[in-house]
């Protein structure tokens, strides 16, 4: 039945190509919300159920999964290359220093969802790890109270993963507005997309070292609220264990909402790259808008996530495949 539909779909595509010249090539390279409708009809529910179970067991999987998606898309596109483990002397993306702090539960969320998908005979080895990460990211956000946006699907998994490819492609927390805007523009994302996506920091954690320079008693960042600075210094005194981490959103750390922007208005952004969105008058109006209207924020965030999910995607079988094990390149 499924195979029959797939053959019919292929025939229709061929007919469309015969009639439309270059049209098939163009259509085949587009992501689509219905991509798996005949290939693996239940895929969104299968992934959602696996992700729900994972988040119930391990709530930190929410932030971990969202950050994993961002780091995947910004390095060689959304192709699950960030999930590949290093092999022998060949270091993969996830072992680059910029990614060392990616939490293991993001990877495990994808592995669990992939196992659930592959357990359904029709779906086995039919759904890419890149698409599973995209669906899982949408699902953890919805589970935390965020928007439940439709995802575009049809990405293939990348064929390579190198530590060197990470260098220069991820923004450090020391970036100013122009630097942030530029690195997002390099990924076809607007400044408004950048501001909306930064609000992913409404969930999850950051290690003391990522904001230590802002809370030095003798040279505290003047854009930070002094009371918040004191709290952070108490949690992160000089010489504290490098594994200590604090909530990125001190007010509603587990809820996916616009509290991030309200915090910025109060000088309670944790990272320099967070607070600069309010400190710089050019992006402040967006912060004020979304601080005032959660509905508008959630809509803007969903649209920006869709744009992020398009970055560098591979749909040409010469450039990607469906990985059997998300953590290992197909042999
Ligand atoms: C705008 C530039 C950005 C910078 C400079 C930045 C930087 C950081 C840093 C330094 C951390 C803390 C990592 C740690 O100490 O473990 C972090 C965490 C996080 N980031 Fe970003 N980030 C940016 C944008 C984004 C975007 C666009 C997303 C997703 C759409 C995102 C999602 C997250 C999440 C969810 C966490 C928490 C991770 C966890 O709890 O495991 N970030 N980010
Ligand atoms: C890396 O490992 C491969 C085998 O996995 C080996 O052939 C090669 O010589 C090694 N290269 C270096 C620089 O160690
Ligand atoms: C190993 O090296 C090759 C390039 O020589 C690269 O294409 C591949 O993705 C690398 N990474 C891993 C983890 O094997
Ligand atoms: C938020 O903005 C929408 C229009 O985008 C409007 O309909 C709604 O009333 C606003 N909500 C608040 C609380 O201002
Ligand atoms: C940005 O968009 C252009 C035009 O659609 C496309 O050619 C390019 O590959 C995109 N870049 C990324 C990083 O997605
Ligand atoms: C961009 C970024 O987060 N860089 C950090 C990567 O992790 C090392 C420690 O492993 C930090 O020193 C970097 O600041």
């Amino acid at each position: 039945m499924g195979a029959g539909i797939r053959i019919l779909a292929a025939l229709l595509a061929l007919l469309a190509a015969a009639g439309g010249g270059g049209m098939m090539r163009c259509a085949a390279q587009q992501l689509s919300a219905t991509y798996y409708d005949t290939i693996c009809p239940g895929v969104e529910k299968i992934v959602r159920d696996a992700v729900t179970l994972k988040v119930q067991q391990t709530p930190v999987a929410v932030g971990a999964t969202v950050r994993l998606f961002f780091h995947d898309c910004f390095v060689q596109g959304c192709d699950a290359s960030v999930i590949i483990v290093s092999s022998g002397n060949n270091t993969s993306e996830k072992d680059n220093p910029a990614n060392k702090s990616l939490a293991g539960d993001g990877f495990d969320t994808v592995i669990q969802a992939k196992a659930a998908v592959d357990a359904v005979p029709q779906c086995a080895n039919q759904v890419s790890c890149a698409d599973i990460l995209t669906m899982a990211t949408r699902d953890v956000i919805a589970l935390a109270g965020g928007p439940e946006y439709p995802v575009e699907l049809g990405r293939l998994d990348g064929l390579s993963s190198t530590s060197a490819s990470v260098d220069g492609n991820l923004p450090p927390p020391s970036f100013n507005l122009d630097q942030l805007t530029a690195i997002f523009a390099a990924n076809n994302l607007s400044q408004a997309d950048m501001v909306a996506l930064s609000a992913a920091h409404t969930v999850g954690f950051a290690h003391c070292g990522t904001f230590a320079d802002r809370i030095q008693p003798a040279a505290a960042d003047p854009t930070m609220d002094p009371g918040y600075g004191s709290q952070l210094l108490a949690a992160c005194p000089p010489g504290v264990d490098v594994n200590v981490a604090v909530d990125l959103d001190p007010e509603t750390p587990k809820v996916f909402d616009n509290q991030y922007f309200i915090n910025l208005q109060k000088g309670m952004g944790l990272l320099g790259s967070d607070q600069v969105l309010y400190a710089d008058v050019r992006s402040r109006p967006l912060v004020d808008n979304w601080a005032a209207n959660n509905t508008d924020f959630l809509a803007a965030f969903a649209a920006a996530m869709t744009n992020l999910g398009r970055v560098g995607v591979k749909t040409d079988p010469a450039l990607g495949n469906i990985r059997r094990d998300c953590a290992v390149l197909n042999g």
Side-chain angles (χ1 to χ4, degrees):
M1 174 82 173
I5 290 173
R6 235 173 302 161
I7 289 164
L8 182 62
L11 279 173
L12 287 171
L14 275 173
L15 285 172
M23 282 303 288
M24 181 174 89
R25 192 168 177 179
C26 187
Q29 287 183 351
Q30 269 174 12
L31 299 177
S32 134
T34 56
Y35 186 81
Y36 291 108
D37 280 9
T38 53
I39 300 171
C40 174
V43 68
E44 298 208 34
K45 178 167 165 34
I46 298 167
V47 170
R48 169 66 64 99
D49 289 348
V51 169
T52 302
L53 185 62
K54 172 70 190 174
V55 169
Q56 279 166 359
Q57 292 165 343
T58 324
V60 295
V62 173
T65 304
V66 177
R67 187 165 184 239
L68 188 64
F69 179 66
F70 170 48
H71 282 217
D72 184 33
C73 294
F74 263 43
V75 180
Q76 302 207 90
C78 311
D79 68 351
S81 54
V82 71
I83 300 174
I84 299 291
V85 292
S86 297
S87 66
N89 55 19
N90 196 351
T91 314
S92 67
E93 286 174 29
K94 76 192 281 275
D95 289 327
N96 180 286
N99 276 331
K100 279 273 190 207
S101 61
L102 285 169
D105 285 306
F107 299 90
D108 193 50
T109 300
V110 178
I111 304 296
Q112 298 294 329
K114 166 80 166 164
V117 170
D118 284 348
V120 177
Q122 185 186 348
C123 302
N125 296 318
Q126 300 295 318
V127 183
S128 69
C129 301
D131 280 342
I132 291 175
L133 175 55
T134 307
M135 288 183 263
T137 301
R138 182 270 311 274
D139 293 339
V140 296
I141 288 168
L143 286 167
E148 186 162 342
Y149 51 91
V151 284
E152 297 177 335
L153 300 166
R155 296 164 192 78
L156 292 175
D157 295 325
L159 304 177
S160 74
S161 176
T162 62
S163 172
S165 66
V166 177
D167 295 328
N169 287 321
L170 291 172
S174 57
F175 265 14
N176 64 30
L177 184 69
D178 289 320
Q179 292 169 313
L180 291 169
T181 302
I183 199 167
F184 277 72
N187 289 286
N188 284 343
L189 297 167
S190 68
Q191 187 176 76
D193 286 330
M194 183 273 289
V195 175
L197 290 170
S198 293
H201 293 170
T202 179
V203 293
F205 307 91
H207 292 83
C208 297
T210 61
F211 54 86
D213 56 325
R214 304 188 66 216
I215 58 171
Q216 299 300 313
D221 185 333
T223 66
M224 181 180 277
D225 172 74
Y228 183 47
S230 310
Q231 280 174 37
L232 291 172
L233 194 56
C236 298
V240 73
D241 185 322
V242 293
N243 294 315
V244 173
V246 306
D247 292 324
L248 276 155
D249 172 357
E251 302 286 358
T252 57
K254 296 193 176 7
V255 186
F256 204 100
D257 60 5
N258 67 338
Q259 183 66 41
Y260 171 83
F261 295 112
I262 299 169
N263 293 342
L264 298 186
Q265 291 176 318
K266 297 190 288 190
M268 290 174 68
L270 183 58
L271 306 177
S273 56
D274 295 322
Q275 194 59 47
V276 78
L277 304 179
Y278 185 75
D280 194 307
V281 295
R282 293 170 296 170
S283 45
R284 187 180 295 170
L286 278 175
V287 172
D288 287 335
N289 279 348
W290 290 328
N293 194 318
N294 192 46
T295 310
D296 280 356
F297 158 61
L298 294 178
F301 183 82
M305 284 296 277
T306 302
N307 292 337
L308 177 59
R310 291 175 182 166
V311 175
V313 296
K314 301 164 177 78
T315 54
D316 179 344
L319 301 175
N321 60 20
I322 308 265
R323 225 175 275 150
R324 286 186 293 277
D325 176 344
C326 292
V328 182
L329 298 169
N330 286 354

Coordinates of all heavy atoms in Angstrom, one line a residue, residues 66-141:
V66 N 17.0 22.4 21.8 CA 16.9 23.6 21.0 C 18.3 24.1 20.7 O 18.5 24.6 19.5 CB 16.1 24.7 21.8 CG1 16.0 26.0 21.1 CG2 14.7 24.2 22.2
R67 N 19.2 24.1 21.6 CA 20.6 24.6 21.3 C 21.3 23.7 20.3 O 22.0 24.2 19.4 CB 21.4 24.7 22.6 CG 22.7 25.3 22.4 CD 23.4 25.7 23.7 NE 24.6 26.5 23.4 CZ 25.8 26.1 23.9 NH1 25.9 25.0 24.6 NH2 26.9 26.8 23.6
L68 N 21.0 22.4 20.4 CA 21.6 21.5 19.4 C 21.2 21.8 18.0 O 22.0 21.8 17.0 CB 21.2 20.0 19.8 CG 21.9 18.9 19.0 CD1 23.4 18.9 19.3 CD2 21.3 17.6 19.4
F69 N 19.9 22.1 17.8 CA 19.3 22.5 16.5 C 20.0 23.7 16.0 O 20.5 23.8 14.8 CB 17.8 22.7 16.6 CG 17.1 23.1 15.3 CD1 17.1 22.2 14.3 CD2 16.6 24.3 15.2 CE1 16.4 22.6 13.1 CE2 15.9 24.7 14.1 CZ 15.8 23.8 13.0
F70 N 20.2 24.7 16.8 CA 20.9 26.0 16.4 C 22.3 25.7 15.9 O 22.8 26.1 14.9 CB 20.9 27.0 17.6 CG 21.7 28.2 17.4 CD1 21.7 28.9 16.3 CD2 22.5 28.6 18.4 CE1 22.4 30.1 16.1 CE2 23.3 29.7 18.3 CZ 23.3 30.5 17.2
H71 N 23.0 24.9 16.7 CA 24.4 24.6 16.4 C 24.5 23.7 15.1 O 25.5 23.9 14.4 CB 25.2 24.0 17.6 CG 25.6 25.0 18.6 ND1 26.7 24.9 19.4 CD2 24.9 26.1 19.1 CE1 26.8 25.9 20.2 NE2 25.7 26.6 20.1
D72 N 23.6 22.9 14.9 CA 23.6 22.1 13.7 C 23.4 23.0 12.5 O 24.2 22.9 11.6 CB 22.4 21.0 13.8 CG 22.5 20.1 12.5 OD1 23.6 19.8 12.1 OD2 21.4 19.7 12.1
C73 N 22.4 23.8 12.5 CA 22.0 24.6 11.4 C 23.1 25.7 11.0 O 23.3 26.0 9.8 CB 20.7 25.3 11.6 SG 19.3 24.2 11.7
F74 N 23.8 26.2 12.0 CA 24.8 27.2 11.7 C 26.1 26.6 11.2 O 27.0 27.4 10.8 CB 25.0 28.1 13.0 CG 24.2 29.4 12.9 CD1 22.9 29.4 12.5 CD2 24.8 30.6 13.3 CE1 22.2 30.6 12.4 CE2 24.1 31.8 13.2 CZ 22.8 31.8 12.8
V75 N 26.3 25.3 11.3 CA 27.6 24.7 10.8 C 27.2 23.8 9.7 O 26.6 22.7 9.9 CB 28.3 24.0 12.0 CG1 29.6 23.4 11.4 CG2 28.6 25.0 13.1
Q76 N 27.5 24.1 8.5 CA 27.2 23.3 7.3 C 25.7 23.0 7.1 O 25.4 22.0 6.5 CB 27.9 22.0 7.4 CG 29.4 22.1 7.5 CD 30.2 20.9 7.0 OE1 30.5 20.9 5.8 NE2 30.4 20.0 7.8
G77 N 24.8 23.8 7.7 CA 23.4 23.7 7.4 C 22.8 22.7 8.4 O 23.4 21.9 9.1
C78 N 21.4 22.6 8.3 CA 20.6 21.7 9.2 C 20.7 20.3 8.6 O 19.9 19.9 7.8 CB 19.2 22.1 9.2 SG 18.9 23.9 9.6
D79 N 21.8 19.6 8.9 CA 22.0 18.3 8.3 C 22.4 17.2 9.3 O 23.0 16.2 9.0 CB 23.1 18.4 7.2 CG 24.5 18.7 7.7 OD1 24.6 19.1 8.9 OD2 25.4 18.7 7.0
A80 N 22.2 17.5 10.6 CA 22.5 16.6 11.7 C 24.0 16.2 11.8 O 24.4 15.3 12.4 CB 21.7 15.3 11.6
S81 N 24.9 17.1 11.1 CA 26.3 16.8 11.2 C 26.9 17.0 12.6 O 27.9 16.5 13.0 CB 27.1 17.6 10.2 OG 26.8 19.0 10.3
V82 N 26.1 17.8 13.4 CA 26.6 18.1 14.8 C 26.5 16.8 15.6 O 27.1 16.7 16.7 CB 25.8 19.2 15.4 CG1 24.3 18.8 15.7 CG2 26.4 19.8 16.6
I83 N 25.7 15.8 15.2 CA 25.5 14.7 16.0 C 26.6 13.6 15.9 O 26.7 12.8 16.7 CB 24.1 14.1 15.7 CG1 23.0 15.1 16.0 CG2 23.8 12.8 16.6 CD1 21.6 14.7 15.6
I84 N 27.3 13.7 14.8 CA 28.3 12.7 14.5 C 29.4 12.7 15.6 O 29.9 13.7 16.0 CB 29.0 13.0 13.1 CG1 28.0 13.0 12.0 CG2 30.2 12.1 12.8 CD1 27.5 11.6 11.7
V85 N 29.8 11.5 16.0 CA 30.9 11.3 17.0 C 32.2 11.3 16.3 O 32.3 10.9 15.1 CB 30.7 10.1 17.9 CG1 29.5 10.2 18.8 CG2 30.6 8.8 17.0
S86 N 33.2 11.7 16.9 CA 34.6 11.7 16.4 C 35.0 10.2 16.2 O 34.6 9.3 16.9 CB 35.6 12.3 17.3 OG 35.3 13.7 17.4
S87 N 35.8 10.0 15.1 CA 36.2 8.6 14.9 C 37.8 8.6 14.8 O 38.3 9.3 13.9 CB 35.6 8.0 13.6 OG 36.1 8.7 12.5
G88 N 38.4 7.9 15.7 CA 39.8 7.8 15.7 C 40.4 9.2 15.8 O 40.1 10.0 16.7
N89 N 41.3 9.6 14.9 CA 42.0 10.9 15.0 C 41.2 12.0 14.3 O 41.7 13.1 14.1 CB 43.4 10.7 14.4 CG 43.4 10.2 13.0 OD1 42.4 10.2 12.4 ND2 44.6 9.7 12.6
N90 N 40.1 11.6 13.8 CA 39.3 12.6 13.0 C 38.2 13.2 13.9 O 37.2 12.5 14.3 CB 38.6 11.8 11.9 CG 38.1 12.6 10.8 OD1 38.1 13.9 10.9 ND2 37.7 12.0 9.7
T91 N 38.4 14.5 14.2 CA 37.5 15.1 15.2 C 36.2 15.7 14.5 O 36.4 16.5 13.6 CB 38.2 16.2 16.0 OG1 39.5 15.7 16.3 CG2 37.5 16.7 17.2
S92 N 35.1 15.4 15.1 CA 33.8 15.9 14.4 C 33.4 17.2 15.1 O 34.0 17.7 16.0 CB 32.7 14.8 14.6 OG 32.4 14.7 16.0
E93 N 32.3 17.8 14.5 CA 31.8 19.1 15.0 C 31.6 19.1 16.5 O 31.9 20.1 17.2 CB 30.5 19.4 14.3 CG 30.6 19.8 12.8 CD 29.3 20.0 12.1 OE1 28.3 20.4 12.8 OE2 29.2 19.8 10.9
K94 N 31.0 18.1 17.0 CA 30.5 18.1 18.4 C 31.7 18.2 19.4 O 31.6 18.6 20.5 CB 29.6 17.0 18.8 CG 30.3 15.6 19.0 CD 29.3 14.5 19.1 CE 28.6 14.4 20.4 NZ 29.4 13.6 21.4
D95 N 32.9 17.9 18.9 CA 34.1 17.9 19.8 C 34.9 19.2 19.6 O 36.0 19.3 20.1 CB 34.9 16.6 19.6 CG 34.2 15.5 20.3 OD1 33.5 15.7 21.3 OD2 34.4 14.3 19.8
N96 N 34.4 20.1 18.8 CA 35.1 21.4 18.7 C 34.8 22.1 20.1 O 33.7 22.0 20.7 CB 34.4 22.2 17.6 CG 35.0 23.6 17.4 OD1 34.8 24.5 18.3 ND2 35.8 23.8 16.4
P97 N 35.8 22.9 20.6 CA 35.6 23.6 21.9 C 34.3 24.4 22.0 O 33.7 24.4 23.0 CB 36.9 24.5 22.0 CG 37.9 23.8 21.1 CD 37.2 23.1 20.0
A98 N 33.9 25.0 20.9 CA 32.7 25.8 20.9 C 31.5 25.0 21.2 O 30.4 25.5 21.6 CB 32.5 26.6 19.6
N99 N 31.6 23.7 21.0 CA 30.4 22.8 21.2 C 30.5 21.9 22.4 O 29.6 21.2 22.6 CB 30.2 22.0 19.9 CG 29.5 22.7 18.8 OD1 28.6 23.6 19.1 ND2 29.7 22.4 17.6
K100 N 31.7 21.9 23.0 CA 31.9 21.0 24.1 C 30.8 21.1 25.2 O 30.5 20.1 25.8 CB 33.2 21.3 24.8 CG 34.4 20.7 24.1 CD 34.7 19.3 24.5 CE 36.0 18.8 24.0 NZ 36.1 17.4 23.8
S101 N 30.2 22.3 25.3 CA 29.2 22.4 26.4 C 27.8 22.0 25.9 O 26.8 22.2 26.6 CB 29.1 23.9 26.8 OG 28.8 24.8 25.8
L102 N 27.6 21.5 24.7 CA 26.3 21.0 24.3 C 25.9 19.9 25.2 O 26.7 18.9 25.4 CB 26.3 20.5 22.8 CG 26.4 21.6 21.7 CD1 26.6 20.9 20.4 CD2 25.0 22.3 21.7
A103 N 24.7 19.9 25.8 CA 24.3 18.9 26.8 C 23.9 17.6 26.1 O 23.3 17.6 25.1 CB 23.2 19.5 27.6
G104 N 24.3 16.5 26.7 CA 24.1 15.2 26.1 C 22.6 14.9 25.9 O 22.3 14.1 25.0
D105 N 21.8 15.5 26.7 CA 20.3 15.1 26.5 C 19.7 15.6 25.2 O 18.7 15.1 24.8 CB 19.6 15.6 27.8 CG 19.8 14.7 29.0 OD1 19.6 13.5 28.9 OD2 20.3 15.3 30.0
G106 N 20.3 16.6 24.6 CA 19.9 16.9 23.3 C 20.1 15.8 22.2 O 19.2 15.4 21.5
F107 N 21.3 15.3 22.3 CA 21.7 14.2 21.4 C 20.8 13.0 21.7 O 20.3 12.4 20.8 CB 23.2 13.8 21.6 CG 24.1 14.9 21.3 CD1 24.6 15.8 22.3 CD2 24.6 15.0 20.0 CE1 25.5 16.8 22.0 CE2 25.6 16.0 19.7 CZ 26.0 16.9 20.7
D108 N 20.6 12.7 23.0 CA 19.8 11.5 23.3 C 18.4 11.7 22.9 O 17.7 10.7 22.6 CB 19.9 11.3 24.9 CG 19.4 9.9 25.2 OD1 19.8 8.9 24.6 OD2 18.5 9.8 26.1
T109 N 17.8 12.9 22.9 CA 16.5 13.1 22.5 C 16.3 12.6 21.0 O 15.3 11.9 20.6 CB 16.1 14.6 22.6 OG1 16.2 15.0 23.9 CG2 14.7 14.9 22.1
V110 N 17.3 13.0 20.2 CA 17.2 12.6 18.8 C 17.4 11.1 18.6 O 16.7 10.4 17.8 CB 18.3 13.3 17.9 CG1 18.3 12.9 16.5 CG2 18.1 14.8 18.0
I111 N 18.3 10.5 19.4 CA 18.6 9.1 19.3 C 17.3 8.3 19.7 O 16.9 7.3 19.0 CB 19.8 8.7 20.2 CG1 21.0 9.5 19.9 CG2 20.0 7.2 20.2 CD1 21.6 9.2 18.5
Q112 N 16.6 8.7 20.8 CA 15.4 8.1 21.2 C 14.3 8.2 20.2 O 13.6 7.2 19.9 CB 14.9 8.7 22.5 CG 15.9 8.6 23.7 CD 16.1 7.2 24.2 OE1 15.2 6.3 24.1 NE2 17.2 6.9 24.7
A113 N 14.2 9.4 19.6 CA 13.1 9.6 18.6 C 13.4 8.7 17.3 O 12.5 8.1 16.7 CB 13.0 11.0 18.3
K114 N 14.7 8.7 17.0 CA 15.1 7.9 15.8 C 14.7 6.4 16.0 O 14.2 5.7 15.1 CB 16.6 8.1 15.5 CG 17.2 7.1 14.6 CD 17.0 7.5 13.1 CE 17.9 6.6 12.2 NZ 17.5 6.6 10.8
A115 N 15.0 5.9 17.2 CA 14.7 4.5 17.5 C 13.2 4.2 17.4 O 12.8 3.2 16.9 CB 15.3 4.2 18.9
A116 N 12.4 5.2 17.9 CA 11.0 5.0 17.8 C 10.5 5.0 16.4 O 9.6 4.2 16.0 CB 10.3 6.1 18.6
V117 N 11.1 5.9 15.6 CA 10.7 5.9 14.2 C 11.1 4.6 13.5 O 10.3 4.0 12.7 CB 11.3 7.1 13.5 CG1 11.1 7.1 11.9 CG2 10.8 8.5 14.0
D118 N 12.3 4.2 13.7 CA 12.8 3.0 13.0 C 12.1 1.7 13.5 O 12.2 0.7 12.8 CB 14.3 2.9 13.2 CG 15.1 3.9 12.3 OD1 14.4 4.5 11.4 OD2 16.3 4.1 12.5
A119 N 11.5 1.8 14.6 CA 10.8 0.6 15.1 C 9.5 0.3 14.3 O 8.9 -0.8 14.4 CB 10.4 0.8 16.6
V120 N 9.0 1.3 13.5 CA 7.9 1.1 12.7 C 8.3 0.6 11.3 O 9.1 1.4 10.6 CB 7.1 2.4 12.6 CG1 5.9 2.3 11.6 CG2 6.6 2.9 13.9
P121 N 8.0 -0.6 10.9 CA 8.6 -1.1 9.7 C 8.6 -0.2 8.5 O 9.6 0.0 7.8 CB 7.8 -2.4 9.4 CG 7.4 -2.8 10.8 CD 7.1 -1.5 11.6
Q122 N 7.4 0.4 8.2 CA 7.3 1.3 7.0 C 8.3 2.5 7.1 O 8.7 3.0 6.1 CB 5.9 1.8 6.9 CG 5.7 2.6 5.6 CD 4.4 3.3 5.5 OE1 3.4 3.0 6.2 NE2 4.2 4.2 4.5
C123 N 8.6 2.9 8.3 CA 9.4 4.1 8.5 C 10.9 3.8 8.7 O 11.7 4.8 8.6 CB 8.9 4.8 9.8 SG 7.2 5.2 9.7
A124 N 11.3 2.6 8.9 CA 12.7 2.3 9.2 C 13.6 2.8 8.1 O 13.4 2.6 6.9 CB 12.9 0.8 9.3
N125 N 14.6 3.6 8.5 CA 15.6 4.2 7.6 C 15.0 5.1 6.5 O 15.6 5.2 5.5 CB 16.5 3.1 7.0 CG 17.3 2.4 8.1 OD1 17.8 3.0 9.0 ND2 17.4 1.1 8.0
Q126 N 13.8 5.6 6.8 CA 13.2 6.5 5.8 C 13.2 8.0 6.2 O 12.9 8.8 5.4 CB 11.7 6.1 5.6 CG 11.5 4.7 5.1 CD 12.1 4.4 3.7 OE1 11.9 5.3 2.8 NE2 12.8 3.3 3.5
V127 N 13.5 8.2 7.5 CA 13.4 9.6 8.0 C 14.8 10.1 8.5 O 15.4 9.4 9.2 CB 12.4 9.7 9.2 CG1 12.2 11.1 9.7 CG2 11.0 9.1 8.8
S128 N 15.2 11.3 8.0 CA 16.5 11.7 8.2 C 16.7 12.2 9.7 O 15.7 12.7 10.3 CB 16.9 12.9 7.3 OG 16.1 14.0 7.6
C129 N 17.9 12.1 10.2 CA 18.2 12.6 11.5 C 18.0 14.1 11.6 O 17.6 14.7 12.6 CB 19.6 12.2 11.9 SG 19.9 10.4 11.9
A130 N 18.3 14.8 10.5 CA 18.1 16.3 10.4 C 16.6 16.6 10.6 O 16.3 17.6 11.3 CB 18.7 16.8 9.1
D131 N 15.7 15.9 10.0 CA 14.3 16.1 10.1 C 13.8 15.7 11.6 O 13.0 16.4 12.1 CB 13.5 15.4 9.1 CG 13.5 16.0 7.7 OD1 13.8 17.2 7.7 OD2 13.2 15.3 6.7
I132 N 14.4 14.7 12.1 CA 14.0 14.3 13.5 C 14.4 15.3 14.5 O 13.6 15.7 15.3 CB 14.6 12.9 13.8 CG1 13.9 11.8 13.0 CG2 14.4 12.6 15.3 CD1 14.5 10.4 13.1
L133 N 15.6 15.9 14.3 CA 16.0 17.0 15.2 C 15.1 18.2 15.0 O 14.8 18.9 16.0 CB 17.5 17.4 14.9 CG 18.1 18.6 15.6 CD1 17.9 18.4 17.1 CD2 19.6 18.8 15.3
T134 N 14.7 18.5 13.8 CA 13.8 19.6 13.5 C 12.5 19.4 14.2 O 11.9 20.4 14.9 CB 13.6 19.8 12.0 OG1 14.9 19.9 11.4 CG2 12.8 21.1 11.7
M135 N 11.9 18.2 14.1 CA 10.6 17.9 14.7 C 10.8 17.9 16.3 O 9.9 18.5 17.0 CB 10.1 16.6 14.3 CG 9.6 16.5 12.9 SD 8.9 14.9 12.4 CE 10.3 14.1 11.6
A136 N 11.8 17.3 16.8 CA 12.0 17.2 18.2 C 12.2 18.6 18.8 O 11.7 18.9 19.9 CB 13.3 16.4 18.5
T137 N 12.9 19.5 18.1 CA 13.0 20.9 18.6 C 11.7 21.6 18.7 O 11.4 22.2 19.7 CB 14.0 21.7 17.7 OG1 15.2 21.0 17.6 CG2 14.2 23.1 18.1
R138 N 10.9 21.5 17.7 CA 9.5 22.0 17.7 C 8.7 21.4 18.9 O 8.0 22.2 19.6 CB 8.8 21.8 16.4 CG 7.4 22.3 16.3 CD 6.3 21.4 16.8 NE 6.4 20.0 16.2 CZ 5.9 19.6 15.0 NH1 5.2 20.5 14.3 NH2 6.0 18.4 14.6
D139 N 8.9 20.1 19.1 CA 8.1 19.5 20.2 C 8.6 19.9 21.6 O 7.7 20.1 22.4 CB 8.2 18.0 20.0 CG 7.6 17.5 18.7 OD1 6.7 18.2 18.2 OD2 7.9 16.4 18.3
V140 N 9.9 20.0 21.8 CA 10.3 20.4 23.2 C 9.8 21.8 23.5 O 9.5 22.2 24.6 CB 11.8 20.3 23.4 CG1 12.3 18.8 23.4 CG2 12.7 21.2 22.5
I141 N 9.8 22.7 22.5 CA 9.4 24.1 22.6 C 7.9 24.1 23.0 O 7.5 24.8 23.9 CB 9.7 24.9 21.4 CG1 11.2 25.1 21.3 CG2 8.9 26.2 21.3 CD1 11.7 25.7 19.9

